[in-house]
Amino acid sequence: MLKTVLIAAMMPVLLFCCALKPLEASVENNYNTPKSTVIFWTDGPKLKAVNLTFFPNHSGPVGIVSVPLYVCLNDGKDKETLTVAKYYQLHGREPLIRHLEKLFGSPVETYISIDQKTLVDASEVVGHFNMAGVTTDLAGVFEGRYTDGPVNLQVEIRQLAGALTATAMLVKLPRVLWIFATQVDTDIGPAQFLNFYRLLKKSGPEVLQKKAVPGYDIRIENCKYRLVKPEMWGKTVKDVTIGR
């Protein structure tokens, strides 16, 4: 029991030491990151956001596709319009992952599910930082509270990555990794998460490219829906994973 406690206590220190390893080595030889990951943001049983990351090769870029919760997953001919949020509510995480794989035409290797409480805890550790001239925190970015205007997803994710990889954040990294290892529901290990952080530190925020699945937005009985053409799912992945 004592050994377990000691290992747990030393984990943040060990991870911090790993973070300080030289970053000059090549990405291809040293970064073991999943080629595709789906990221869920939840609040208890409620789904709040879905993003997928695609990293097909070690030269980058890292493509991020946002899937709005109001995207329709059926053709509208059914009795009920089945959105991403509704699909998650009815069938759960794994069936939704399998369905997204079919739509994107690409396998999803790993998943990360972050609950609202975990986001708040991580936000408190990271503290405040600047986003587009506004002082905010992680929760503020996730919830869109730092701006009242429209958001350019690619600009936003690069600004966030820049803020989180700043030198001043290094001292906070062990505690963030500890939260990741103990509170986040995922099949990605802390080492892979750290490798991704090191990749961002080396390559810079410009390695990230983000786009929402495009479509035609409609309203039915005051509810918003997005209709997506079948070919647009795969095209969106190509758009964010082709280097520019």
Side-chain angles (χ1 to χ4, degrees):
M1 179 67 179
L2 179 59
K3 182 178 179 181
T4 303
V5 173
L6 288 173
I7 292 175
M10 286 297 295
M11 183 63 74
V13 179
L14 294 174
L15 291 174
F16 184 56
C17 291
C18 291
L20 296 180
K21 288 181 178 179
L23 301 174
E24 292 78 8
S26 71
V27 172
E28 184 172 1
N29 293 331
N30 291 279
Y31 293 96
N32 177 25
T33 54
K35 291 185 176 180
S36 56
T37 300
V38 59
I39 305 171
F40 296 102
W41 173 26
T42 63
D43 189 357
K46 180 182 179 181
L47 183 63
K48 299 192 71 171
V50 180
N51 288 275
L52 289 95
T53 65
F54 296 92
F55 189 27
N57 60 75
H58 289 291
S59 61
V62 178
I64 305 173
V65 178
S66 171
V67 183
L69 298 184
Y70 55 91
V71 163
C72 294
L73 296 180
N74 52 9
D75 56 12
K77 297 179 180 179
D78 298 336
K79 292 182 179 180
E80 182 179 7
T81 303
L82 195 61
T83 62
V84 171
K86 188 68 174 180
Y87 196 102
Y88 181 89
Q89 178 186 343
L90 292 174
H91 304 292
R93 182 178 66 205
E94 287 301 321
L96 178 56
I97 292 175
R98 303 287 82 83
H99 195 79
L100 290 173
E101 285 181 325
K102 293 178 182 178
L103 291 171
F104 282 110
S106 179
V108 175
E109 292 186 352
T110 53
Y111 73 88
I112 300 173
S113 184
I114 304 174
D115 192 66
Q116 180 68 21
K117 180 184 180 304
T118 301
L119 174 63
V120 171
D121 289 347
S123 187
E124 290 178 355
V125 170
V126 171
H128 290 83
F129 50 86
N130 186 280
M131 282 285 290
V134 177
T135 300
T136 186
D137 56 16
L138 275 178
V141 174
F142 271 67
E143 295 168 358
R145 289 188 275 106
Y146 74 98
T147 179
D148 294 327
V151 174
N152 182 310
L153 294 181
Q154 182 154 296
V155 171
E156 179 183 67
I157 194 65
R158 288 179 176 179
Q159 287 180 338
L160 178 60
L164 296 182
T165 55
T167 303
M169 287 291 175
L170 272 178
V171 70
K172 302 176 183 180
L173 182 59
R175 292 178 63 192
V176 174
L177 285 169
W178 183 246
I179 290 174
F180 181 88
T182 57
Q183 296 187 33
V184 175
D185 182 7
T186 180
D187 54 359
I188 296 178
Q192 286 182 305
F193 178 80
L194 182 59
N195 279 333
F196 185 71
Y197 184 88
R198 293 177 65 215
L199 166 67
L200 284 178
K201 190 70 176 174
K202 175 180 171 59
S203 301
E206 292 73 22
V207 77
L208 302 176
Q209 294 186 164
K210 186 174 182 180
K211 183 179 180 180
V213 177
Y216 178 67
D217 291 352
I218 62 173
R219 284 193 174 274
I220 302 176
E221 297 180 352
N222 294 323
C223 293
K224 186 177 180 180
Y225 301 96
R226 175 167 293 183
L227 306 179
V228 179
K229 293 181 179 179
E231 65 272 16
M232 294 308 297
W233 295 89
K235 182 180 183 304
T236 306
V237 176
K238 290 180 181 179
D239 288 345
V240 297
T241 54
I242 296 175
R244 298 178 183 177

